[in-house]
Amino acid sequence: MQYKIGTVAKQFGITTQALRFYDKEGLLPAPREKDSGIRRYSARDIKWLCSLRRYHALGFSSDEIRRLYACEELSEVEQIFREQMEETEDEAAGLYQRAQILRRNLEGMKQIERLHGCCEIASRPAMFLLINQKGQHLDSSPDTVNAVRNWMQHMDLLWSASAVDQAQFADEHAEAERRSGFAIPVEFAGAEGLCLDVPVEFLRPCRCVHTVAVLDRDGIKGSELFSHVFRYLREHKLRPCADATGCDRLRLGEGKCSLGETPKAIYYEYWIPVEDI
């Protein structure tokens, strides 16, 4: 019994283009009628197609399938399967890590919703802060550039961050001079073997006002960004006593965007060390 290409494609739930591709690649040559040129598939071809589809479902490329079909010993087949298994396990580990990162981001979004425009007293975790920018000037020294490249391999654990001197932050009308870079919790830095040479600063755990504010692309001023914080400080008789570190938790790529594809705002999580007046 011979079957037309459309019949075989429908049977396997694939396109006729896929069958033509297998033919072109030499994986499943289909004899053609001399007069019409119509492809005809035998029962043996259909069994061969089952094998092809199975290998593709397992992640084998056309070249790898071709290697399998060229094997003369079972040990060769086993080796190819072993290589594919190891590659698949690596991919699975990567997907699991990605799922964990997405889970952390979802938790971060819940925290943003809870703290947006509000304040609470909390203990800031110990963090390392890599400084690569002072004011509007990037540090292009080889040590800093190499450290940034080293840290960038762990972007899923990093927050973009800035530190503001106490005296500048205490003046709610001043435009504070920031030292900016990237922050990472100490517990992760050690585990990932990050470069901790100069210009890395250690931010010790301390009592803080914990909040979330929105940094708007339109150029919101510090006094507007922290107005709810200054109000909270006055109401609770507190004053800032050290650096303030803002940690970039979420870039809002959805919702309203005033600059094309550029996010209109960035949500920042702030830890502002305080003491009683």
Side-chain angles (χ1 to χ4, degrees), residues 82-93:
R82 188 172 292 107
E83 292 171 1
Q84 184 67 15
M85 182 183 68
E86 292 172 355
E87 183 179 329
T88 301
E89 287 175 344
D90 289 342
E91 291 175 357

Side-chain angles (χ1 to χ4, degrees), residues 107-120 210-216 220 224-229 231 249-250 252 265-270:
E107 292 171 355
M109 290 178 200
K110 291 178 182 177
Q111 181 164 277
I112 286 169
E113 184 177 10
R114 180 175 65 84
L115 285 176
H116 183 206
C118 301
C119 298
E120 68 177 6
H210 187 202
T211 188
V212 167
V214 176
L215 182 65
D216 198 294
I220 189 169
E224 299 168 340
L225 185 68
F226 293 110
S227 59
H228 69 290
V229 176
R231 184 168 57 250
R249 295 302 300 274
L250 172 68
L252 183 63
I266 300 172
Y267 288 98
Y268 265 74
E269 179 182 15
Y270 284 89

Side-chain angles (χ1 to χ4, degrees), residues 128-141:
F128 288 118
L129 178 62
L130 170 61
I131 303 295
N132 75 326
Q133 182 177 343
K134 294 182 179 180
Q136 302 301 315
H137 302 286
L138 279 173
D139 182 353
S140 299
S141 65

Side-chain angles (χ1 to χ4, degrees), residues 35-46:
D35 296 334
S36 64
I38 295 175
R39 290 178 173 84
R40 294 286 184 177
Y41 294 86
S42 66
R44 182 180 180 279
D45 292 328
I46 290 175

